[in-house]
Amino acid sequence: PEEFTKLRNDLYFFLPLPLLFKEISMVPDMGKWKRSQAYADYIGFILTLNEGVKGKKLTCDYKVSETVEKLLDLLETLDRWINETPPVDQPSRFGNKAYRTWYVKVDQEAEALVSTVVPAEKSAAVPEIAVYLKESVGNSTRIDYGTGHEAAFAAFLCCLCKVGALRVDDQLAIVFKVFDRYLAVMRKLQRTYRMEPAGSQGVWGLDDFQFLPFIWGSSQFIDHPTIEPHHFIDEKVVNEHHQDYMFLECIKFINEMKTGPFAEHSNQLWNISAVPSWSKVNQGLIRMYKAECLEKFPVIQHFRFGSLLSIQPVNP
């Protein structure tokens, strides 16, 4: 966890408004992103958590800090607002406009929500961190959600580490409590407002909406004594073990949302089920995440940079 410690101990300097910028406006700018401190911090954070959850169940024992509890309260608030904002009658089946009403509430209250999580002495960071929270719940114009929004939530958590709100010993709770609860809220949004997948590749993509839980979920399975990659397409295995494994939670949601043969609606996952070991699945998914998400201009053009996640190049 050296990378995690470095993130946490990184000195924080507050910059005046405007807080965050979109720096990737053309395809050639992608090189700037891949050389940036933000990219190094972000991928380091993802890989550190990947290592931390290796071989562990969602239901294992781990520390739940006060900050984690506050984050769960924040996500519970977002969940409650969905209940308070039912879908409206409209001709179009997808993209229910009630989502925009829900999003306005998030937009207005984001800084207040984040201020409950960030230590008082780092309160100057709240407006910057709140932007990542707002970016993590989908797009209110298109009423869609995808891996770029998921990345914004991971960036939100990364920033909380950089200001010391989350610490090294929160690693398991970050994935198993906070991120898992975030997934539940996003799935509820997707169902309630029939959100479109943002930038989906259809059957050629890994999943319509998420990617990170497949990476961390495959790491959970590394060296598992009985469950192998080919088992995740077995509904009996999924139903019996989804409460312990994030990967199977994802498969369960896909099975609930899609009809027809699994090989047809989720071809990439079907192919992955033939990989001989979970460690190879995990390594392959990390490579795929970099190639299909972090190195794709349509995703990264929306990413915002500031003083916590900086576009400045990594020091040589």
Side-chain angles (χ1 to χ4, degrees), residues 241-252:
H241 298 281
H242 70 90
Q243 289 174 323
D244 286 323
Y245 297 101
M246 193 171 265
F247 198 103
L248 299 185
E249 280 189 333
C250 292
I251 301 298
K252 185 172 186 289

Side-chain angles (χ1 to χ4, degrees), residues 130-155:
V131 172
Y132 293 109
L133 178 64
K134 288 188 277 190
E135 296 271 316
S136 76
V137 296
N139 182 279
S140 62
T141 304
R142 298 184 302 272
I143 314 184
D144 66 6
Y145 175 93
T147 51
H149 302 110
E150 177 189 73
F153 191 75

Side-chain angles (χ1 to χ4, degrees), residues 42 46 50 53 58 145-147 150-151 154 175-176 179-184 186-187 190 206-207 209-221 245-251 253-254 269 278 281-282 285 289:
Y42 181 86
I46 299 303
N50 184 64
V53 301
L58 287 168
Y145 175 93
T147 51
E150 177 189 73
V175 180
F176 291 172
F179 197 82
D180 199 53
R181 184 72 179 96
Y182 164 75
L183 284 176
M186 293 307 102
R187 286 169 183 152
Q190 291 152 23
L206 184 71
D207 179 73
F209 298 107
Q210 314 294 158
F211 204 115
L212 290 175
F214 291 96
I215 295 176
W216 295 330
S218 60
S219 182
Q220 284 185 272
F221 273 128
Y245 297 101
M246 193 171 265
F247 198 103
L248 299 185
E249 280 189 333
C250 292
I251 301 298
F253 184 66
I254 290 170
L269 285 166
W278 284 110
V281 170
N282 186 246
L285 286 172
Y289 184 61

Side-chain angles (χ1 to χ4, degrees), residues 253-273:
F253 184 66
I254 290 170
N255 289 339
E256 288 168 0
M257 297 297 284
K258 297 193 173 183
T259 57
F262 191 89
E264 290 181 13
H265 64 60
S266 301
N267 189 259
Q268 283 278 28
L269 285 166
W270 176 266
N271 292 338
I272 287 168
S273 72

Side-chain angles (χ1 to χ4, degrees), residues 275-293:
V275 176
S277 72
W278 284 110
S279 60
K280 281 192 167 22
V281 170
N282 186 246
Q283 291 160 16
L285 286 172
I286 290 167
R287 285 195 301 272
M288 188 178 174
Y289 184 61
K290 288 177 180 177
E292 297 299 324
C293 298

Side-chain angles (χ1 to χ4, degrees), residues 189-201:
L189 275 182
Q190 291 152 23
R191 274 192 171 119
T192 304
Y193 303 120
R194 302 303 299 267
M195 298 179 77
E196 298 275 10
S200 171
Q201 298 169 298

